[in-house]
Amino acid sequence: SDTSSAASTRLKVIDCDIHPSLPNRNAILPFLSKRWQEHFLAYGDHLRPPFLGTTPYPRSSPLIARRDAWPPTGGNPGSDLDFMRLQHLDANGIEFGILQVLDLFLFSQQNLEFGAAIQRAINEWQVECWTKPEPRLKASILVGQDDAPSAIAEIERCAKVGGYVQINVCPRANEPLGRRRYWPIYARAQELGLPLGIHVGGYGGHAPTGGGWPSFYV
């Protein structure tokens, strides 16, 4: 019929920028070893900016989310899979959604060992809580590129596990992404046939624009 023909030829939607969130910070604890659980609870994050427990975004926009994105069950926007299905995946006919996690700023952790533990925890959390129960969602391998050996080891571990569709690095690292210190990560990505995904964010400790530090929000 004309209806079935139209349905079979309808363009599919692939959302390349879905942000799953932890319902709360402590939800990552089951994916950390005892050592890093204790570290996380005792010391928390060590990032460059002076903002503790918040973000440098305008407070009029909590978590940079629409008001109707907060799940009725509680927790942060993007933390309830059933609500994501209802509000986004089903409602918009999403065939595949690529996860890009921004929680805990693993890209910008100044304690590199802790950053390596967080990157593994976040990558395992994506699979257990999102891609296993929802096949439309595809995980990204998040790596903190300022510790290149740990990043490569994590890329190789996730590649063996399978189910990850790209490698995520952060544009605001300690140095510009073209520096040679990051090349081994790119070389391994190429060898494994995994594309690099780059999402705006991170705290690099340097001016975020070619014209220096901005004096207002854009």
Side-chain angles (χ1 to χ4, degrees), residues 4-151:
S4 61
S5 176
S8 64
T9 58
R10 182 179 64 84
L11 290 176
K12 303 296 185 181
V13 177
I14 297 178
D15 187 339
C16 66
D17 194 24
I18 290 181
H19 299 302
S21 294
L22 296 162
N24 57 73
R25 287 170 58 86
N26 288 350
I28 198 63
L29 292 177
F31 300 92
L32 291 169
S33 68
K34 186 173 185 296
R35 172 194 176 185
W36 293 115
Q37 288 179 11
E38 294 174 349
H39 180 97
F40 182 62
L41 293 172
Y43 303 108
D45 296 319
H46 286 278
L47 307 175
R48 283 197 173 89
F51 307 96
L52 296 177
T54 184
T55 65
Y57 297 104
R59 305 316 302 151
S60 60
S61 181
L63 294 181
I64 326 302
R66 292 182 346 199
R67 289 294 181 182
D68 65 345
W70 297 77
T73 52
N76 293 322
S79 64
D80 186 313
L81 177 56
D82 286 336
F83 192 52
M84 181 184 289
R85 288 184 178 120
L86 174 68
Q87 192 181 53
H88 182 51
L89 299 180
D90 297 339
N92 295 312
I94 305 299
E95 183 179 23
F96 296 113
I98 300 175
L99 302 179
Q100 304 209 58
V101 187
L102 301 181
D103 291 43
L104 299 180
F105 291 100
L106 71 90
F107 304 111
S108 303
Q109 293 291 339
Q110 295 307 294
N111 182 329
L112 295 183
E113 283 188 82
F114 178 59
I118 288 290
Q119 78 181 356
R120 178 168 183 150
I122 286 289
N123 291 332
E124 292 182 345
W125 169 76
Q126 287 182 81
V127 171
E128 291 301 318
C129 297
W130 296 91
T131 65
K132 280 186 177 179
E134 177 47 76
R136 286 175 292 184
L137 297 177
K138 306 298 177 183
S140 298
I141 305 172
L142 271 71
V143 296
Q145 66 264 32
D146 285 309
D147 184 354
S150 290

Side-chain angles (χ1 to χ4, degrees), residues 106-107 116 119-120 123 140-169 182-197:
L106 71 90
F107 304 111
Q119 78 181 356
R120 178 168 183 150
N123 291 332
S140 298
I141 305 172
L142 271 71
V143 296
Q145 66 264 32
D146 285 309
D147 184 354
S150 290
I152 291 171
E154 179 64 5
I155 290 168
E156 292 173 343
R157 185 190 72 83
C158 290
K160 289 179 181 178
V161 172
Y164 297 86
V165 297
Q166 68 176 5
I167 298 165
N168 258 26
V169 295
Y182 303 126
W183 287 13
I185 297 173
Y186 309 151
R188 195 70 185 110
Q190 184 175 17
E191 291 165 359
L192 292 170
L194 286 166
L196 284 170

